[in-house]
Amino acid sequence: MRISNIKKEGYRLALAVIMLGCASSYAQYDGLQDVTKWKSLFGATHKKIAVEALKKIDKNLYPDIAKAASLLKDGSASENGHPDFWHDNGGLPKDLWENGDAKNSGGVLGNYKTLNTETAYRNLGIICHLTQDMAVPAHAANIAHLMSEGMEEYADYDPTFGPVPAIDTSRQPYEYYQAMQDDTRSHLSSWRNPDTGIPYWVPSPSAPRFGQDATKGPGGAYGGGHDTYSSWIDDSAYGGQGNTNNRKLVARIPEICRDRLGMAAGYTMATLESASKKLPPLVKNFAVYPNVVTPGSKVDISFIALENRSRNVKCSITLTPIGGQPQTLLVGDIVLNDPTTAGYSSGPGGDSGNNTPSSVPENYLFNRSLSFSWNGLLSGKPPAEGSYLVEVLLTDEDGNTIPAEVNTDSMRENDSRAVLSVVKTLPPPPAPSSFDTNGG
């Protein structure tokens, strides 16, 4: 439904809801609470799903996910994954994972590789949001519903989770979006209103086949022409007919909602665990000193090693003549330190309890400052004159290595290569500067 099609009074109501900070028609009922008071709204259930998933993730196996819990929950509550909030039932999780989009510059990998880890993990939470949306039949069937949707409303009213399945984590993080959508679509024909026998949610007859994003295809519709999954009824136990403060929300088949909440938590877990295993090791402040030497001169090499999931990385440092083959200078295993905790107060499940952890990348990553001295010899002999690339390569326990792209962007702090020049004669040092205090 487009805003331009909403009648004047409906538009005023929608605008009032937005101005109250509401992004959905989720209402909260608790005893005698006034049901005209609305919660914060699309994000409420998404955050609950993220919390449920995070509780079940082993923080010893996925320590970065535990550390970044607040960022992930914030991202899960965000609607920024929808290119057009008003019209799109889905988004583009692969774009978000790789390079981002107009609303989320850099996405996950783009920000992570440039050491902007807070934004990277928040964008990972946005991918979780899109994946969770695919547990909602109206989203998976591409049914226009603007801000009012029966199952979404009921999920906030009664957030009871069904079994949370263990999902295989070998896929790419963005692939769980389509897998969750396909799972939901596979049940649509069997989820029927018991009063009418008509399915609650009906995809378009020309909807794309499974494995293709149905939210980019033709729109589906509510069975029977309108949403009948849940409805508000008067509860005579709290004052009787007509008292709007005493109503409760009823779903005809609440088990459907509980099943979808459990599945959404399971697919969120898989998305986060897969992402944690796919994020590569990185280096920071790689330096070679001096970078112009005579054959056989000693060279100092230093950098900070960073890794998100494990303290153990393999390290090799190579010297490559421009246009030639690399030769190994150093190779070995490195044990990294635990992430620093400055500015980060860890609470239950690794959650900081606030949304402002320190911006230092090492807060979420294992890290260690390293320095090596190379004696300037290759197989006992000094290298020939010329230009060389000195490169550090880290490999984590998941088999990830430092991405080559870090050396082609405009940021130098994350480079893993440096140029070393071997010359017969060192250039003369620059002449000392001096000045005449008398102005002469």
Side-chain angles (χ1 to χ4, degrees):
M1 181 185 300
R2 299 177 183 272
I3 292 182
S4 58
N5 295 334
I6 301 175
K7 293 183 179 180
K8 186 175 181 181
E9 291 303 316
Y11 177 80
R12 287 176 178 172
L13 176 59
L15 182 60
V17 170
I18 295 170
M19 293 177 67
L20 286 170
C22 300
S24 171
S25 59
Y26 295 158
Q28 177 69 20
Y29 176 83
D30 183 11
L32 297 181
Q33 181 176 334
D34 184 350
V35 297
T36 62
K37 294 179 180 177
W38 298 74
K39 292 185 67 179
S40 148
L41 303 178
F42 283 120
T45 299
H46 284 284
K47 187 168 283 192
K48 291 170 188 173
I49 295 170
V51 168
E52 187 72 13
L54 289 164
K55 285 192 300 186
K56 296 181 180 298
I57 290 177
D58 188 335
K59 65 181 180 181
N60 294 312
L61 293 177
Y62 303 98
D64 62 321
I65 297 301
K67 281 283 187 182
S70 284
L71 301 172
L72 294 166
K73 288 187 286 187
D74 286 348
S76 292
S78 171
E79 295 291 337
N80 272 358
H82 299 284
D84 185 337
F85 172 81
W86 299 105
H87 302 102
D88 291 327
N89 274 314
L92 298 170
K94 184 177 181 181
D95 288 356
L96 270 171
W97 171 253
E98 294 178 342
N99 297 303
D101 54 26
K103 293 183 179 180
N104 308 281
S105 178
V108 179
L109 287 181
N111 281 292
Y112 181 85
K113 289 184 292 190
T114 55
L115 308 178
N116 189 4
T117 50
E118 288 189 23
T119 303
Y121 282 107
R122 190 173 284 111
N123 277 309
L124 178 55
I126 294 174
I127 292 176
C128 290
H129 176 109
L130 293 174
T131 303
Q132 294 159 10
D133 272 346
M134 294 303 102
V136 179
H139 282 266
N142 200 23
I143 300 171
H145 54 275
L146 194 59
M147 295 195 304
S148 178
E149 209 292 310
M151 178 173 285
E152 289 181 334
E153 188 171 1
Y154 187 76
D156 191 69
Y157 178 84
D158 179 16
T160 302
F161 283 78
V164 177
I167 307 294
D168 171 65
T169 60
S170 64
R171 303 185 188 197
Q172 291 290 337
Y174 52 82
E175 293 180 327
Y176 295 98
Y177 168 93
Q178 188 63 57
M180 179 78 265
Q181 181 187 122
D182 289 348
D183 181 274
T184 301
R185 291 175 66 191
S186 71
H187 294 286
L188 293 177
S189 62
S190 64
W191 287 332
R192 296 172 177 266
N193 186 321
D195 298 333
T196 64
I198 299 174
Y200 287 112
W201 306 278
V202 181
S204 168
S206 55
R209 60 182 175 82
F210 280 29
Q212 296 180 347
D213 187 4
T215 70
K216 300 296 182 292
Y222 289 108
H226 63 285
D227 186 1
T228 61
Y229 180 74
S230 66
S231 58
W232 289 95
I233 65 171
D234 291 314
D235 189 347
S236 58
Y238 294 105
Q241 184 96 7
N243 186 340
T244 58
N245 291 338
N246 304 313
R247 303 166 70 207
K248 65 180 180 181
L249 187 62
V250 174
R252 288 166 178 79
I253 309 179
E255 291 77 13
I256 299 176
C257 183
R258 293 166 188 170
D259 171 78
R260 291 298 90 190
L261 285 172
M263 294 298 292
Y267 276 86
T268 298
M269 286 179 60
T271 300
L272 294 175
E273 292 173 0
S274 167
S276 182
K277 291 194 293 185
K278 297 293 191 297
L279 291 173
L282 299 169
V283 298
K284 180 182 177 184
N285 298 339
F286 181 61
V288 172
Y289 182 82
N291 61 1
V292 180
V293 298
T294 56
S297 297
K298 187 184 79 168
V299 176
D300 292 326
I301 302 168
S302 62
F303 58 92
I304 299 173
L306 301 167
E307 158 60 10
N308 69 300
R309 197 165 92 87
S310 171
R311 297 179 63 183
N312 303 307
V313 295
K314 294 184 179 297
C315 175
S316 70
I317 299 176
T318 57
L319 183 72
T320 306
I322 301 299
Q325 295 298 312
Q327 300 184 62
T328 301
L329 301 181
L330 296 164
V331 64
D333 296 331
I334 297 173
V335 178
L336 306 181
N337 302 315
D338 287 333
T340 59
T341 55
Y344 193 98
S345 175
S346 180
D351 188 354
S352 68
N354 59 56
N355 297 327
T356 55
S358 169
S359 61
V360 179
E362 291 87 337
N363 272 359
Y364 306 102
L365 309 179
F366 294 101
N367 61 89
R368 185 173 175 182
S369 295
L370 298 160
S371 60
F372 306 93
S373 286
W374 172 48
N375 63 7
L377 302 178
L378 289 173
S379 301
K381 298 179 180 180
E385 292 182 88
S387 295
Y388 295 81
L389 282 179
V390 182
E391 181 172 9
V392 58
L393 177 70
L394 300 180
T395 304
D396 66 20
E397 291 186 333
D398 294 305
N400 303 304
T401 58
I402 299 172
E405 311 90 81
V406 300
N407 299 297
T408 60
D409 59 26
S410 60
M411 181 181 176
R412 294 292 169 257
E413 290 86 350
N414 65 345
D415 282 2
S416 61
R417 298 173 186 163
V419 175
L420 173 68
S421 297
V422 178
V423 297
K424 179 180 289 188
T425 304
L426 291 176
S433 57
S434 62
F435 11 166
D436 185 341
T437 55
N438 295 320

